[in-house]
């Protein structure tokens, strides 16, 4: 990951509502959440949530898919894992006890490797 991409992701996560939204989507797993479910979970007005999702989308931390009349939002685990790897690269000068965080696979529901 390039520094510019990492800065974009970190900037996107630097707001309480966006961080809460991203964490909820990570917790939801690969199925993600419908926008309405996410909005109810966060108790945000629709326009506010849309603005926050646009920031997360621009940083490639989430992606969405239309399912009929519903828009389903999912965390982008590949981008999340790349950011974690970037942040922990050369951690503790490569010492084994300071290894990178456990990565979540993008297609295994509810489990981390």
């Amino acid at each position: 990951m390039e520094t510019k991409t990492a800065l974009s992701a970190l900037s996107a996560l630097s707001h309480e509502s966006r961080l809460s939204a991203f964490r909820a989507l990570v917790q939801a797993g690969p199925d993600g959440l419908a926008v309405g479910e996410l909005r109810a979970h966060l108790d945000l007005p629709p326009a506010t949530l849309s603005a926050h999702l646009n920031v997360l989308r621009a940083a490639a931390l989430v992606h969405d898919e239309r399912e009929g009349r519903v828009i389903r939002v999912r965390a982008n685990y590949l981008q999340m894992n790349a950011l974690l790897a970037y942040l922990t690269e050369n951690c503790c000068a490569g010492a084994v006890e300071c290894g990178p965080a456990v990565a979540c696979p993008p297609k295994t529901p509810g489990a981390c490797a």
Side-chain angles (χ1 to χ4, degrees):
M1 174 175 279
E2 294 183 17
T3 300
K4 184 176 177 181
T5 304
L7 286 171
S8 175
L10 291 170
S11 176
L13 293 172
S14 69
H15 186 281
E16 183 178 355
S17 294
R18 288 192 296 269
L19 181 59
S20 294
F22 184 71
R23 291 189 66 186
L25 292 170
V26 168
Q27 189 173 36
D31 291 336
L33 295 170
V35 171
E37 293 173 313
L38 183 58
R39 191 195 67 72
H41 177 75
L42 298 174
D43 194 30
L44 291 173
T48 301
L49 178 59
S50 291
H52 287 313
L53 288 175
N54 284 337
V55 173
L56 292 170
R57 204 176 289 115
L61 289 168
V62 301
H63 55 273
D64 52 42
E65 179 180 2
R66 181 169 287 283
E67 297 174 349
R69 296 179 63 188
V70 173
I71 297 175
R72 184 160 299 278
V73 185
R74 294 177 175 89
N76 182 347
Y77 292 101
L78 295 175
Q79 185 76 341
M80 178 188 77
N81 290 335
L83 178 60
L84 290 172
Y86 177 84
L87 292 172
T88 58
E89 185 178 48
N90 302 319
C91 177
C92 301
V96 175
E97 62 273 358
C98 187
V102 175
C104 285
K107 298 198 183 218
T108 306
C112 284

